[in-house]
Amino acid sequence: NMQIYCAKRLSTSGINFPKIVKIDKKRGLMLTQYLEGENLASYLGKSDMTDDLFESLFLNQYMARRSALTLDYLPENFIIVKGKVFYTYPFYKKYDHKEDLTEKYIRLYFNTNELGNYLKKLGISYDISRIKDSYATNKQIVLTTCKHYK
């Protein structure tokens, strides 16, 4: 089962991923640790990413890249648990820099039109007055990426 294979690889890659509790190969079932936390997309609907959350997100990206994996960096695939960002989607692709966090998804983690449109599609409310002008947003993205990219 592809989901089980992917989850095993993710759990041994250093990425913050729920622990695998039990696998039933015969029935193709997998039980993972339940993580009590807030979905990152919901969090972004009402709050800005903190420095600690960016540090955790970029650490996941580093560990994935080091393991030759590309995660699906949509915020809905992450959960915040005790100040750390956990990847909860049990799939990945072979590493492709064009699909990486900093190349494709980074604007979804800042107050941008892209974030507003993304959250709207998910049915999550978002106050568009939080969106800053392009210069200020791009500057924040560059400074955050330089600080946390490994």
Side-chain angles (χ1 to χ4, degrees):
N1 181 318
M2 183 57 86
Q3 183 176 2
I4 292 172
Y5 173 81
C6 288
K8 280 182 172 179
R9 179 101 189 265
L10 288 166
S11 67
T12 60
S13 66
I15 295 165
N16 289 332
F17 187 78
K19 291 180 183 149
I20 298 172
V21 177
K22 185 169 175 113
I23 295 175
D24 183 339
K25 289 182 184 178
K26 193 175 189 180
R27 296 190 290 182
L29 300 173
M30 174 181 62
L31 178 65
T32 60
Q33 169 190 22
Y34 174 75
L35 296 175
E36 181 71 39
E38 183 173 11
N39 180 275
L40 190 50
S42 297
Y43 176 87
L44 289 170
K46 61 182 188 274
S47 302
D48 295 347
M49 288 281 286
T50 66
D51 209 41
D52 288 342
L53 292 177
F54 272 122
E55 182 67 27
S56 183
L57 181 66
F58 274 89
L59 181 58
N60 282 326
Q61 182 224 21
Y62 169 74
M63 297 308 283
R65 191 176 69 247
R66 198 178 94 183
S67 298
L69 309 175
T70 297
L71 305 180
D72 185 342
Y73 287 99
L74 291 172
E76 67 195 81
N77 294 326
F78 293 88
I79 190 168
I80 302 167
V81 180
K82 297 180 182 174
K84 290 188 178 182
V85 178
F86 281 77
Y87 184 63
T88 59
Y89 186 62
F91 294 102
Y92 63 85
K93 296 183 239 174
K94 181 180 173 190
Y95 183 73
D96 178 357
H97 78 280
K98 293 177 187 170
E99 296 287 318
D100 208 4
L101 172 66
T102 53
E103 293 293 323
K104 184 174 179 181
Y105 296 97
I106 195 68
R107 295 185 67 79
L108 294 177
Y109 292 89
F110 292 87
N111 290 309
T112 60
N113 286 319
E114 292 92 326
L115 175 62
N117 292 334
Y118 167 73
L119 295 175
K120 184 177 180 180
K121 286 179 188 175
L122 294 178
I124 297 171
S125 62
Y126 178 73
D127 179 3
I128 60 169
S129 69
R130 290 173 50 201
I131 298 173
K132 298 175 182 146
D133 67 82
S134 293
Y135 177 79
T137 301
N138 290 337
K139 181 180 177 181
Q140 186 181 17
I141 290 170
V142 169
L143 291 174
T144 300
T145 302
C146 288
K147 181 177 183 177
H148 297 290
Y149 189 85
K150 295 171 181 10

